[in-house]
Amino acid sequence: PSVMEGGQISGNSHRYIHVKTDVLDIVIDTQGGSIVQANLLKYPQQASDPNSQPFQLLSKNPENYYVAQSGLAGAERQRLQYRSAQTNHNLGPEQSELHVNLICTSCGNVAIQKQFVFKRNDYLVPINYQIGNHSNSLWKGQLYTQFQQKKRIPARSLFNISSYTGGAIST
């Protein structure tokens, strides 16, 4: 089953943060702060039917698992656990920008905030980190970003043609 069912977050609902803008419908997992679902609201799933469901770019569904992971890895190399003040965020009609702040709850004496920045009519989602070391020891961390995909191998066909699913970079 998908993370979002009928527009609602299923399963452990406090674990997921739902963000909706004018062009994106996104779900963020507070375990690691990864984007585990992304729907492109202005692009229909079926090009021939503009009223079809929005195109789903990222998904935690085991049949089509493709998520965007990013974070800070400390010495323990574990995924950080975050919390948010609310589980639903919407870019209002009067807003040009929406900030979604996640606060690390598993960081001990180091305060880490992961901030997603959503802008009107923009598909780019910048991520900012604020780190405060409140201990007497040096904290070392490393930034990581990756797309994780678990592709189900389809049954072989006569032509064995598949589409490209992966990242693209533009400058």
Side-chain angles (χ1 to χ4, degrees):
S2 65
V3 175
M4 294 290 292
E5 293 178 337
Q8 298 297 317
I9 300 169
S10 65
N12 192 355
S13 63
H14 67 276
R15 178 176 168 179
Y16 300 102
I17 309 298
H18 181 219
V19 182
K20 191 168 184 179
T21 72
D22 57 327
V23 295
L24 292 169
D25 188 353
I26 286 186
V27 175
I28 301 169
D29 188 344
T30 58
Q31 184 174 343
S34 299
I35 298 176
V36 296
Q37 184 169 308
N39 295 320
L40 307 180
L41 297 176
K42 292 192 175 183
Y43 292 92
Q45 188 81 329
Q46 304 294 325
S48 60
D49 180 8
N51 295 322
S52 68
Q53 294 280 54
F55 180 79
Q56 188 171 56
L57 181 64
L58 301 174
S59 172
K60 192 175 178 173
N61 184 329
E63 294 293 313
N64 191 28
Y65 188 88
Y66 192 52
V67 299
Q69 295 179 333
S70 67
L72 296 170
E76 303 84 29
R77 300 266 184 225
Q78 65 184 18
R79 277 196 206 167
L80 301 180
Q81 181 64 42
Y82 294 97
R83 67 173 168 73
S84 177
Q86 59 192 69
T87 56
N88 287 298
H89 299 265
N90 290 297
L91 182 69
E94 71 288 347
Q95 292 177 288
S96 61
E97 195 169 278
L98 173 66
H99 294 193
V100 175
N101 298 317
L102 303 181
I103 307 297
C104 182
T105 60
S106 63
C107 296
N109 289 329
V110 178
I112 297 177
Q113 176 180 284
K114 183 175 186 176
Q115 181 184 72
F116 294 82
V117 180
F118 297 90
K119 295 181 181 176
R120 180 163 303 286
N121 203 31
D122 198 346
Y123 294 94
L124 183 65
V125 182
I127 300 173
N128 301 314
Y129 292 91
Q130 291 182 354
I131 303 166
N133 187 354
H134 303 290
S135 72
N136 293 328
S137 57
L138 179 66
W139 183 83
K140 292 182 182 180
Q142 185 173 9
L143 177 68
Y144 68 90
T145 57
Q146 65 185 9
F147 288 107
Q148 186 179 57
Q149 181 180 24
K150 294 177 186 171
K151 194 167 191 170
R152 191 179 69 125
I153 311 276
R156 297 195 126 232
S157 69
L158 178 62
F159 299 106
N160 200 22
I161 297 172
S162 64
S163 64
Y164 172 74
T165 305
I169 297 175
S170 173
T171 58

